[in-house]
């Protein structure tokens, strides 16, 4: 689950042009009524849906087919020093992934779980 810390927070528009994925956004905005809640949407070449992920949200997806291609449009450039991430299997997020997570990059496996110190993102 990836995001950019302010002031480099970005909005993303994600669509799937081949295959199918479950696309997930998690609200990380401090003080939000939906803080740490997630929303998921199946995106596929067949349903032609897209998901707009606002600034202050973490984003991740699970491939539902073996032949996925996604297109991301970002509102700001990527700044490596501003990247943040959460572990997709974090029980505090309790994301209902439809398939067992059997493959995850080594980098994503190292992302942290939330602690009580995480108060959210502020602009």
């Amino acid at each position: 689950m990836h995001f950019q810390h302010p002031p480099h927070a970005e909005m993303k528009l994600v669509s799937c042009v081949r295959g199918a994925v479950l696309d997930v956004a998690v609200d990380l905005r401090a003080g939000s009524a939906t803080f740490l809640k997630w929303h998921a949407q199946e995106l596929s070449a067949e349903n032609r849906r897209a998901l707009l992920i606002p600034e202050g949200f973490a984003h991740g997806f699970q491939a539902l087919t073996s032949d996925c291609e996604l297109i991301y449009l970002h509102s700001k450039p990527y700044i490596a020093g501003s990247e943040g991430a959460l572990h997709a299997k974090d029980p505090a997020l309790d994301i209902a992934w439809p398939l067992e997570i059997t493959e995850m990059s080594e980098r994503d496996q190292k992302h942290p779980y939330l602690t009580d110190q995480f108060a959210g993102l502020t602009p």
Side-chain angles (χ1 to χ4, degrees):
M1 306 303 299
H2 300 255
F3 62 94
Q4 293 250 111
H5 288 277
H8 304 291
E10 61 187 352
M11 182 173 29
K12 296 178 188 174
L13 180 64
V14 183
S15 58
C16 182
V17 294
R18 183 185 305 173
V21 300
L22 184 74
D23 211 57
V24 178
V26 178
D27 188 353
L28 302 180
R29 300 170 299 166
S32 170
T34 56
F35 180 61
L36 298 183
K37 303 291 184 208
W38 55 271
H39 171 80
Q41 181 72 52
E42 184 175 327
L43 305 179
S44 71
E46 186 176 305
N47 70 23
R48 298 182 182 188
R49 292 183 179 148
L51 186 62
L52 181 66
I53 301 161
E55 292 181 9
F57 283 68
H59 170 255
F61 67 91
Q62 182 176 52
L64 302 176
T65 61
S66 62
D67 61 343
C68 300
E69 285 186 32
L70 300 176
I71 294 179
Y72 285 61
L73 300 174
H74 298 256
S75 63
K76 293 187 180 174
Y78 171 74
I79 306 294
S82 292
E83 183 180 39
L86 302 174
H87 201 289
K89 291 180 160 183
D90 191 330
L93 299 175
D94 196 28
I95 298 170
W97 299 107
L99 304 173
E100 180 183 351
I101 297 176
T102 58
E103 293 183 46
M104 185 183 294
S105 72
E106 185 176 325
R107 178 178 165 233
D108 285 349
Q109 290 176 37
K110 294 178 182 177
H111 291 324
Y113 288 89
L114 288 170
T115 67
D116 292 341
Q117 277 66 36
F118 185 72
L121 303 178
T122 55

